[in-house]
Amino acid sequence: MSNLRMDPAFASLVKQPREGFNDVQVLREATFAARQEASSCLSDFDLEIEDRDIPSYGDEKTLIPMRIYRRRDVEGSSPVLLYLHGGGFFCGDLFSEQLQCAQYALNARCTVICVAYRLAPENPFPAALNDCYRTLEFVWDYSEALKIDRDLIAVGGSSAGANLAAAVALLARDRVGPNICFQLLLIPALDDRLETDSAVQFTDTPGFARSEAEVMWRWYLGESPQDVSPYAAPARAKDLSGLPASYILCAGLDPLRDEGLAYANRLTESGVAVELHLVPSIPHGFASIPAAAISKRLLSEQVAVLRSAFARESGL
C-alpha cells in the first residue's frame, strides 16, 4: 500500500470486507443503520431544524429536499453554509451527515442548509449539480425570508459533496451568479482521470481505494464519457482565478489525496487564498468513525475555519 501508517483508531475499517461497489441499492441500505444512530443524537443540540422542498429547474413537480439547521438564539440574518453531502454521487441524503451539519450550525454560528440532490447512476451528471446550484439560487433569492446574510454564503461538502461544492463555485463565477465567500472542500473528488500518484498507488486502502473511485466516476459520468466538463470534474477547469477563499482537507491514505493537493496548489497560483490541511495517517472514510480523536479535532478545526471565514468577510 505505502509506508504511511494509519491511525489505529481506524483499524476497524481494515477488517471490513473489500467487495467493491457492485450493487447500488445494497450500498445505500448499508448506510441506513449509521444514519439512524446519528438521528437519535440530534436532540442534544439546541437547534431549530426545518425540512423544506423547492422546485427543480423547469419542473414544478420535481422537488429538491433541503434541511435547514439554525441556532435557536439567532437574531437577525446569519451567515450560511450550503452543505453538500458525500456518498460517491450515488448514496447519502439529508440525514447522512446531520451531526456534522448540527456541529457547524451550533459552533460556527451559521445557518446550515443541506441538499438532497439527485443521485447517480439513475441521475448522472449534471442532475446533482443542477439541484445544488438551484438551491444556491433559492438561498440567494429568498435570503431575507430565510434570515440569511447573502453576503456571507459559503459552500462545502465531503468527497463527492466537495466536488459539487467546487463545481457550484465555478458555475457561480462563470455565470456571474450568487456571490460565494468561502468553500470548504473535505477529501474532495475532483479528477475523473485518476492519474495522480495516489490514485495509482492506493489500490487496497480501507473502505475506498482506486477501484471504488473508478466505479464512482463511471456511475456519475456514464460508461463512456466524452469531453468531460470541468463542472463534473473541477480539476479539468483551466482557470481557477476569481474563486472564493478555500479550505481543503486531504487524507494521506486516500486515492483522492493528490488531486486535492494539486487543486489547492493551482488555486494558490491563481491568487486564491487557500488553507490546506494534509493528515497523513487517515483514510478517505475517516469521518465514518466520528469518535476518533483525529476526527473530533478535524471537525473542531472546520468549525473554527468557518467562523474565521465569516468573521473576515463581515469585517469583524
Side-chain angles (χ1 to χ4, degrees), residues 54 66 68 80-82 113 115 132-146 148-150 153 178:
I54 62 173
M66 64 183 194
I68 304 171
V80 62
L81 170 65
L82 182 63
I113 298 179
V115 184
C132 295
Y133 195 79
R134 170 72 180 98
T135 307
L136 172 67
E137 290 186 322
F138 178 85
V139 169
W140 179 266
D141 292 340
Y142 295 92
S143 57
E144 186 173 350
L146 293 167
I148 284 168
D149 184 344
R150 68 180 192 173
I153 298 177

Side-chain angles (χ1 to χ4, degrees), residues 188 190-191 193 196 235 240 248 250 256-269 276:
L190 300 167
D191 195 342
R193 293 165 292 194
T196 66
L240 299 184
I248 299 180
C250 298
L256 309 184
R257 179 193 67 196
D258 291 350
E259 61 201 64
L261 296 177
Y263 201 70
N265 187 54
R266 290 186 58 213
L267 284 169
T268 301
E269 291 174 346
L276 172 65

Side-chain angles (χ1 to χ4, degrees), residues 109-174:
R109 306 186 72 84
C110 63
T111 297
V112 177
I113 298 179
C114 184
V115 184
Y117 52 84
R118 283 171 289 173
L119 300 174
E122 298 91 339
N123 298 285
F125 174 83
L129 178 58
N130 285 343
D131 289 350
C132 295
Y133 195 79
R134 170 72 180 98
T135 307
L136 172 67
E137 290 186 322
F138 178 85
V139 169
W140 179 266
D141 292 340
Y142 295 92
S143 57
E144 186 173 350
L146 293 167
K147 299 181 181 179
I148 284 168
D149 184 344
R150 68 180 192 173
D151 291 326
L152 297 174
I153 298 177
V155 295
S158 63
S159 192
N163 167 295
L164 292 165
V168 163
L170 284 168
L171 265 183
R173 180 199 65 179
D174 295 347

